[in-house]
Amino acid sequence: MNIEVDVASQLFPNPFTMAFTLLVTAVLFFFIYKFVFDPARAMIQKRQDLMAAELSDAAKAKEEASIDREKAKEEIFKARDMASEIIADAKLKADETKGEILKSANDKADDMYRKAKDRILKEEKEMREGLNDEIVDVALEASKKLLGDKDLSKQDEEAIDRFIRELSDE
Amino acid sequence: MSSEVANVYAEALLSLAREEDKILAFKNEIKAIMPLFDSEVIEFLATYNIDKSLKKDVMKMAFKDLSVELLHFIYLLIDKNRIRYIKEIFKSYLLMANEALKIKVVEVVSARPLKEADKKRLLEALKMKFKMTIELEEVLDERLISGIRVKMDDQLVDVSMAHKIEDLKKTLKESW
């Protein structure tokens, strides 16, 4: 059986088929490109952007954290300095107050001592004067009693004379 | 307040006395009856519950020889409920009357009653000094021991033994 086949014609592509195949391939490629590659690429880009943003945020946060840590350190130093100042002031004030209290207590003690001394001297003086007054009072009361027992009409007359003299001298 | 009331009534009485020419007579009568108005009598006369006519009858019986004007003056004080101020009124009147009559009242305090001769000497000296009629008001106070204490207006002259002793006492106490 002889099969006559035009091998030569079979060896060369059919231009129509080839064109059709190329067209179909191009269409297929177009669709694949349009509906698979683009979204995949966009997704990858988006993912890259997200990762970049997250990395940037992380770096920023790290930087901020670093700044905050520095600030915190500064605050701690400041607080420590302030605490030292407060303690120093408090100590100074406590020393001053202590000095004042001691001075006041000393002054009061001195004052009390002086007053007590004055009182003792005053009482001593009063006692001495009182004794003197007592002597004078007793002596003069005795003289009154002696005078009271006498007839003093003469003294009355003399007193009237003295009064009249004083009256005319005025 | 009481001195204002007393002055008003005393002035009224003095005005009446002037009209009647009885300043001295009223003065003498007042001096005589004033000691009788002690706190009990005044309390009786000032009590609201006792009838005023009864109070007036008591006054009329007590002061039979008193001049009608003075008796009516007391009645007036009873009617006006001013009898409580009678002593102040009489005192004010005596001061005003002395002023009107140009009489100077001199209080002489002594340990014993003054002799007439001494009184006379005192009166003459005072008359000579003040050129006024002098009225001596004698007060006895044994504490003076001897001598006299004379009070004229606001002036006080003390020539008593008690005063001398007090002076001596003061000097001794100060110099001791």
Side-chain angles (χ1 to χ4, degrees), chain B:
Chain B
M1 173 65 190
S2 61
S3 65
E4 282 171 29
V5 172
N7 282 341
V8 170
Y9 279 89
E11 271 170 22
L13 184 62
L14 185 71
S15 163
L16 175 73
R18 263 203 193 101
E19 278 173 27
E20 302 285 327
D21 198 20
K22 285 183 175 176
I23 298 177
L24 186 61
F26 282 5
K27 183 190 157 186
N28 291 335
E29 283 185 321
I30 286 170
K31 276 175 83 176
I33 64 167
M34 217 165 103
L36 302 173
F37 286 95
D38 58 16
S39 57
E40 278 179 31
V41 173
I42 291 173
E43 201 54 47
F44 161 74
L45 293 170
T47 305
Y48 283 98
N49 296 339
I50 300 169
D51 194 55
K52 282 176 181 171
S53 57
L54 175 67
K55 293 174 191 172
K56 287 178 190 173
D57 287 345
V58 170
M59 288 292 101
K60 196 176 178 180
M61 280 194 290
F63 305 126
K64 276 178 190 166
D65 300 327
L66 198 68
S67 61
V68 184
E69 294 90 344
L70 260 183
L71 194 61
H72 283 181
F73 181 73
I74 295 169
Y75 290 170
L76 177 80
L77 294 180
I78 291 169
D79 286 335
K80 299 279 181 187
N81 296 319
R82 296 294 195 201
I83 199 75
R84 202 174 281 282
Y85 304 119
I86 192 160
K87 281 204 141 181
E88 284 94 331
I89 294 168
F90 282 167
K91 277 180 195 166
S92 293
Y93 175 82
L94 291 178
L95 287 174
M96 288 174 189
N98 285 337
E99 208 173 310
L101 297 167
K102 298 197 187 306
I103 293 173
K104 190 174 193 72
V105 178
V106 177
E107 186 188 284
V108 182
V109 187
S110 57
R112 59 198 66 76
L114 293 176
K115 288 177 186 168
E116 282 307 315
D118 289 337
K119 267 196 253 183
K120 204 176 163 190
R121 280 195 303 140
L122 265 175
L123 269 172
E124 277 170 10
L126 289 164
K127 259 185 207 171
M128 191 97 83
K129 174 76 185 171
F130 297 108
K131 315 278 185 227
M132 282 175 90
T133 308
I134 303 291
E135 197 174 284
L136 282 188
E137 215 168 70
E138 284 185 74
V139 179
L140 288 180
D141 187 349
E142 285 181 1
R143 288 174 299 177
L144 260 63
I145 306 171
S146 73
I148 53 170
R149 182 189 295 150
V150 184
K151 194 176 168 190
M152 306 164 284
D153 300 325
D154 297 332
Q155 202 186 350
L156 184 77
V157 182
D158 198 337
V159 284
S160 68
M161 183 60 76
H163 182 65
K164 273 186 192 171
I165 290 174
E166 278 307 311
D167 273 355
L168 180 64
K169 199 193 270 185
K170 223 179 269 176
T171 315
L172 281 173
K173 281 179 182 177
E174 279 168 10
S175 60
W176 204 305

Side-chain angles (χ1 to χ4, degrees), chain A residues 49-108:
Chain A
D49 291 348
L50 187 71
M51 281 170 77
E54 277 179 0
L55 278 171
S56 166
D57 285 350
K60 207 175 164 186
K62 194 182 169 188
E63 197 182 331
E64 280 175 2
S66 171
I67 293 166
D68 286 347
R69 197 173 59 197
E70 287 304 315
K71 275 187 186 171
K73 262 187 192 175
E74 274 177 31
E75 290 295 322
I76 288 166
F77 284 132
K78 272 187 196 169
R80 205 176 285 163
D81 289 348
M82 210 181 276
S84 299
E85 271 178 34
I86 290 167
I87 290 166
D89 279 354
K91 205 178 165 192
L92 198 71
K93 274 182 189 167
D95 285 346
E96 279 174 12
T97 313
K98 185 182 151 193
E100 279 170 16
I101 290 167
L102 276 171
K103 192 177 175 295
S104 165
N106 282 335
D107 288 351
K108 270 185 192 166

Side-chain angles (χ1 to χ4, degrees), chain A residues 132-137 140-141 143-144 147-148 150-153 155-164 166-168 170, chain B residues 112 114-115 118 121-122 125-126 129-130 145-148 150 152 155 157-159 161-162 164-166 168-169 172-173 176:
Chain A
N132 294 342
D133 289 355
E134 192 77 22
I135 294 166
V136 172
D137 287 343
L140 293 175
E141 282 307 314
S143 66
K144 273 186 195 174
L147 285 169
K150 277 187 169 180
D151 178 17
L152 298 167
S153 313
Q155 275 83 353
D156 284 348
E157 279 175 29
E158 283 170 6
I160 291 166
D161 287 341
R162 197 177 136 203
F163 171 74
I164 291 169
E166 278 181 20
L167 202 65
S168 51
E170 271 180 17
Chain B
R112 59 198 66 76
L114 293 176
K115 288 177 186 168
D118 289 337
R121 280 195 303 140
L122 265 175
L126 289 164
K129 174 76 185 171
F130 297 108
I145 306 171
S146 73
I148 53 170
V150 184
M152 306 164 284
Q155 202 186 350
V157 182
D158 198 337
V159 284
M161 183 60 76
K164 273 186 192 171
I165 290 174
E166 278 307 311
L168 180 64
K169 199 193 270 185
L172 281 173
K173 281 179 182 177
W176 204 305

